Amino acid sequence: MHNVVKRTFILLVVVLAYLGGMIFLGYEIVQNADDWAAHDASPYIVAPEMNFINTVYDANGVCLLKLETVKDEDDNEIQKLIRNEDDELLRRATLHAVGGQYLGVGITGKFTGVPISPEYEYDILNGLHVQAQDNESKDFYLTIDGEVCKTAYEQLDGRKGTVGVYNYKTGEIICMVSTPAFDPSNPPADSEILEKEYPESTYNKMLMLTYTPGSIFKIVTAACAIENIPNLYTRRFVCDGALEVEGFGQKVICNSVHGNINFEKALNCSCNWVFGQLAIELGPEKLQRTAEKMGFGDVFEVDRHPLTAGTIDVENASDIELGWAGIGQHTTRANPCMMMTLMGAIANEGQAVKPYYVAETHSAYDDTVLYQAQPETTDVIRLNTDTAIKLKKLLRSNVQNYYTDSRFPGLEMCGKTGTAEVAGRGDNAWFVGFSQREDFPYAIVVMIEDSSQSGSQAAIPVANNVLQSILGG
């Protein structure tokens, strides 16, 4: 009798668990089935064996890539994506925007074998319905200017790095160059040769990597100080070349002895003493919070490319570590595209416009517009308007009073350089900035790896020449 009762109890528990599971599954189907069906992993809307690219054009209407019928080694007709045949420099300069063999980036990496269309119909009885026209081959029209990209590629002159330019009013990316780059019409025979001859070429460095920012991070420290130190603009600081941190016997080394200076002058000459002191005074919580508001630790997507998040972690930092973090060293890392977007937010007095490079897609059959990009703001960067206005004036002062306008003729430039120390290699040479001309609303980022020169020496000439190519174009 005891065994019968025990078995009956176990069976009852199993039945109740089964019924509970069925109720939970039914609830999940009703509530979330449309999200499951539309997920990128769904076999019903993903077609990895199909290619929906017909042609890719740059902003000038130059064909960068086209689908053509060619013959293979066995004389069979096949369809193959062919690059611009006339200009190797153009092919290299637009490699990471268009994509290529071994690369999971660009148009070929992100728009082939992905969801056929974000437009679908789903209901609980009939499931997922994908519109027939979603299978159409597409023509892609990019915001990328091939001529500007060629200029950027030439300016990098064999050095590793990235250059990005975008319209901070509309979000259109004009230039997105990453080096090293190979010729996609003559790719390496295999991945081992690629790794040997073109190391790091599989990365779109503007979107996918983060780097020690050095003094460009002083923009973040400046914003934090503006918002938290009431007498900041009337204070005087005395830089003797090395900030000694009490209790640690260590120093934050400055690039010079700047003497008695105010806050604006300290940013002009990029004084480590002042910004190390400000970071320590502000404390880890405020500096961390401001950095996160300015895009560190968060991301958005650029045409299906998720950015790699910049990082800052000073929660448990000592004062000496906090001082180094405040000048863009310690464990701080910045993403180039996010820094470019931050420059756009400052130029727009607090409004961050999300970058993109796919302007439109058309049906290859009847030229119907299937997609058209629209300006879109992002709240990943949350910049107070008053703070943005003050930063804009400070960055303009940097150019006028330190770099000089002669290095950016006609651009009315605002900006900041950085020279970041990297253990075991050369410095990262940075320039981030924007033109404040109403008729020339462009923000730029230049980052050169393993540089033997400072950001002012290496990155400013690249930035100026790229922007001049847009102005003159």
Side-chain angles (χ1 to χ4, degrees), residues 272-443:
N272 290 347
W273 194 103
V274 170
F275 280 87
Q277 173 62 38
L278 287 173
I280 294 169
E281 184 177 332
L282 289 162
E285 183 179 335
K286 290 177 181 177
L287 187 62
Q288 181 84 28
R289 184 168 62 246
T290 299
E292 290 173 356
K293 285 167 55 180
M294 296 176 78
F296 285 76
D298 208 346
V299 296
F300 50 77
E301 285 191 353
V302 175
D303 292 312
R304 297 180 177 168
H305 294 72
L307 301 186
T308 298
T311 57
I312 177 172
D313 183 8
V314 293
E315 182 179 357
N316 299 311
S318 64
D319 281 356
I320 187 67
E321 291 170 333
L322 190 59
W324 282 110
I327 64 171
Q329 296 288 157
H330 188 45
T331 60
T332 308
R333 299 291 182 271
N335 173 267
C337 187
M338 190 67 78
M339 290 305 301
M340 181 184 73
T341 309
L342 176 59
M343 291 300 100
I346 295 171
N348 284 330
E349 299 185 353
Q351 187 178 66
V353 177
K354 185 177 172 182
Y356 66 88
Y357 70 96
V358 177
E360 293 183 355
T361 61
H362 293 196
S363 165
Y365 301 115
D366 59 11
D367 204 36
T368 302
V369 177
L370 302 175
Y371 165 80
Q372 188 171 50
Q374 299 294 331
E376 179 183 351
T377 59
T378 175
D379 60 1
V380 167
I381 295 173
R382 305 175 301 281
L383 191 58
N384 177 277
T385 299
D386 182 62
T387 302
I389 291 171
K390 289 177 179 177
L391 288 174
K392 187 175 183 178
K393 290 179 180 178
L394 288 167
L395 295 177
R396 179 69 183 127
S397 175
N398 282 351
V399 176
Q400 287 180 308
N401 299 318
Y402 195 71
Y403 310 130
T404 75
D405 277 327
S406 64
R407 302 191 71 181
F408 301 98
L411 296 179
E412 296 181 25
M413 203 67 186
C414 309
K416 182 76 186 78
T417 59
T419 309
E421 295 180 2
V422 182
R425 29 183 316 188
D427 297 336
N428 293 337
W430 290 84
F431 178 79
V432 293
F434 56 90
S435 169
Q436 66 175 11
R437 280 178 48 169
E438 286 293 326
D439 63 341
F440 195 72
Y442 293 104

Side-chain angles (χ1 to χ4, degrees), residues 219-237:
I219 299 167
V220 176
T221 307
C224 189
I226 288 168
E227 294 178 348
N228 292 284
I229 300 178
N231 65 338
L232 181 66
Y233 279 85
T234 59
R235 281 179 60 175
R236 305 294 300 186
F237 304 88

